[in-house]
Amino acid sequence: MYSKEELAELIIKNPEKYNAYKETVEELDLTELDFSNITLDEINFSNCELAGTSFNDGHISNCNFTGADLNAADFTRANVVECDFSESILNGTDFSYASVNYCNFTDADMAGCIVKEADLSDSDFSASQNLAATRADETTIWPDNELLPEDFDTNYSKDDEEGEEDTVEADY
């Protein structure tokens, strides 16, 4: 059995050995690890606990995140290509400024997911859950309508941010 740190090292330096090990276990705790500025290709993260894990500024391609818990994970400025996020939990996951292309989000829970200034071109959100509860802005690039839920509106409204402004009270 590997420690969390040993698993992180395997993922980075010997992904084939990690993937072989992953086939022997159902779930792994990879929470709060730092995969920033790293290229990850064909890694099996299915059913892993990845809450709070950082993938920011990385290049992530062909990775399997099916059923993963990605609560509050950080993909800021990452390049994410052809990854499977089916049935994953993405509550509070930050994809700000990221490029997320050709990814599958079938049955992924998107509530609270942050996609501000993200390019989501060609990713499939048509069967995702809670997409309307994402935090987007006018610069978010959404995929074509056939890759979005039928009732989803890509028009950005600043109403969502009205309560977020800081108020300063003068003390005089």
Side-chain angles (χ1 to χ4, degrees):
M1 181 140 158
Y2 293 101
S3 70
K4 191 188 310 188
E5 291 73 23
E6 290 170 331
L7 287 170
E9 184 134 338
L10 271 181
I11 290 166
I12 295 165
K13 295 183 177 175
N14 195 341
E16 295 83 10
K17 188 173 181 180
Y18 163 80
N19 283 336
Y21 175 72
K22 176 64 178 89
E23 288 180 22
T24 67
V25 294
E26 180 64 26
E27 297 179 4
L28 289 175
D29 179 4
L30 302 174
T31 55
E32 299 180 358
L33 289 176
D34 187 0
F35 295 117
S36 299
N37 299 299
I38 294 174
T39 296
L40 299 173
D41 187 36
E42 296 184 12
I43 305 294
N44 183 0
F45 289 114
S46 64
N47 300 310
C48 287
E49 296 289 327
L50 292 158
T53 297
S54 178
F55 298 92
N56 67 330
D57 295 302
H59 181 79
I60 299 99
S61 60
N62 301 300
C63 290
N64 181 0
F65 291 97
T66 302
D69 178 349
L70 289 153
N71 280 316
D74 185 3
F75 287 87
T76 305
R77 294 176 305 278
N79 185 16
V80 185
V81 182
E82 293 184 15
C83 292
D84 190 352
F85 291 94
S86 299
E87 301 175 13
S88 61
I89 302 169
L90 296 160
N91 304 149
T93 300
D94 193 347
F95 285 102
S96 296
Y97 312 100
S99 178
V100 183
N101 303 121
Y102 302 102
C103 294
N104 179 10
F105 289 89
T106 301
D107 293 324
D109 185 353
M110 306 292 294
C113 187
I114 304 164
V115 292
K116 292 183 176 185
E117 296 191 43
D119 178 355
L120 309 173
S121 300
D122 301 308
S123 286
D124 189 353
F125 294 93
S126 63
S128 64
Q129 299 172 8
N130 300 313
L131 190 61
T134 57
R135 294 176 60 196
D137 63 10
E138 68 276 2
T139 62
T140 301
I141 300 171
W142 295 99
D144 293 335
N145 286 336
E146 64 269 6
L147 297 173
L148 294 169
E150 284 184 31
D151 58 345
F152 184 71
D153 182 9
T154 59
N155 293 322
Y156 171 71
S157 169
K158 289 198 178 203
D159 294 343
D160 298 333
E161 293 185 1
E162 281 183 12
E164 292 183 20
E165 289 186 26
D166 293 331
T167 57
V168 177
E169 293 183 26
D171 193 22
Y172 39 121

